Amino acid sequence: LKCMASKYRTEFLLQKFSKWLTRSSPNHKAICEGNHRLVMRQTVKLWRGRGVRCDSPQFGWKEDDWFMKGVCINPFITDLVWLKVQAVQAELVFGRHHGNGWLLRHP
């Protein structure tokens, strides 16, 4: 899978998104460092088209259950409300993530 942006452009945009998450503005409240780390981990996976899955031995999904694997999700152009709806639907199919939504639904 080859995502549209070059490696340099991708890193630049990921850094820009990372900064946006941690800085408040009139339309956005910054997230804490712990949230930031988790959100960026999932964002990078989705941006690169790797997809996200629940690997927990106790509550994990089946081996071939992936959310958005093979799809490059760009947080600047993707409708994030739509993405969250898709994440909730994936949990209905694959099983709910027992980490309070940290896998897909937060923030």
Side-chain angles (χ1 to χ4, degrees):
L1 172 72
K2 173 117 170 95
C3 294
M4 299 291 284
S6 69
K7 183 176 180 179
Y8 171 77
R9 179 91 173 133
T10 296
E11 293 305 318
F12 170 77
L13 291 172
L14 284 171
Q15 287 176 7
K16 190 171 181 151
F17 182 65
S18 178
K19 283 183 184 178
W20 176 79
L21 288 171
T22 58
R23 294 188 178 153
S24 291
S25 72
N27 300 319
H28 165 71
K29 183 180 175 190
I31 62 175
C32 73
E33 185 57 36
N35 289 356
H36 175 260
R37 186 182 75 256
L38 295 167
V39 168
M40 286 307 297
R41 180 174 53 205
Q42 303 307 63
T43 299
V44 169
K45 290 176 187 177
L46 291 169
W47 188 303
R48 294 184 176 152
R50 289 191 222 145
V52 176
R53 69 181 309 274
C54 181
D55 291 325
S56 166
Q58 186 176 5
F59 302 111
W61 297 346
K62 295 177 185 169
E63 194 170 317
D64 57 344
D65 290 344
W66 287 86
F67 177 70
M68 295 290 171
K69 186 171 186 174
V71 179
C72 296
I73 301 294
N74 179 328
F76 290 103
I77 60 174
T78 300
D79 179 344
L80 298 179
V81 173
W82 170 84
L83 187 64
K84 186 170 182 174
V85 168
Q86 297 302 308
V88 170
Q89 289 178 349
E91 285 189 337
L92 291 174
V93 173
F94 303 144
R96 185 176 182 279
H97 181 250
H98 294 269
N100 296 321
W102 275 111
L103 185 67
L104 300 172
R105 295 188 284 145
H106 185 75

